[in-house]
Amino acid sequence: MRFSYNKLFKLLIDRNIKKKELREMSGVSATSIAKLGKGANVNTDVLLRICNALNCDVGDIMEFVMEEEPADRINDEEEKR
């Protein structure tokens, strides 16, 4: 499983907010915004600041995503049966 911040970027589009504006509104660094764009780990304080700036809940900006298993791993497991 991993985190996805696609909901955040959809919310920004829906509200017509640019990443730079989000940085200014929330006080979050450009590096943290870049990490969100890559789905990398960020401090929970970053998420809190963004939620406060956008007046939303953490569930509105992120979600858990199941990662698909590589096809070769699935085939190897099936061959073992």
Side-chain angles (χ1 to χ4, degrees), residues 54-67:
L54 297 175
N55 194 29
C56 66
D57 187 68
V58 70
D60 297 328
I61 64 170
M62 64 180 284
E63 63 185 339
F64 291 111
V65 177
M66 296 294 290
E67 295 188 72

Side-chain angles (χ1 to χ4, degrees), residues 1-5 10 12 15 19-20 25-26 32 40 46 48-50 57 64-65 71 74:
M1 289 184 76
R2 65 179 179 81
F3 289 111
S4 170
Y5 301 101
K10 182 179 182 326
L12 294 178
R15 295 188 184 184
K19 291 178 190 176
K20 182 179 179 181
M25 292 167 55
S26 63
S32 293
V46 169
L48 179 64
R49 288 177 182 214
I50 290 171
D57 187 68
F64 291 111
V65 177
I74 294 170

Side-chain angles (χ1 to χ4, degrees), residues 18-74:
K18 298 187 184 312
K19 291 178 190 176
K20 182 179 179 181
E21 291 174 295
L22 177 62
R23 287 193 343 251
E24 293 168 354
M25 292 167 55
S26 63
V28 171
S29 71
T31 302
S32 293
I33 300 294
K35 284 182 179 182
L36 292 168
K38 295 177 183 177
N41 292 332
V42 294
N43 191 311
T44 53
D45 182 60
V46 169
L47 301 175
L48 179 64
R49 288 177 182 214
I50 290 171
C51 288
N52 283 335
L54 297 175
N55 194 29
C56 66
D57 187 68
V58 70
D60 297 328
I61 64 170
M62 64 180 284
E63 63 185 339
F64 291 111
V65 177
M66 296 294 290
E67 295 188 72
E68 294 182 23
E69 292 188 49
D72 56 342
R73 181 175 173 194
I74 294 170

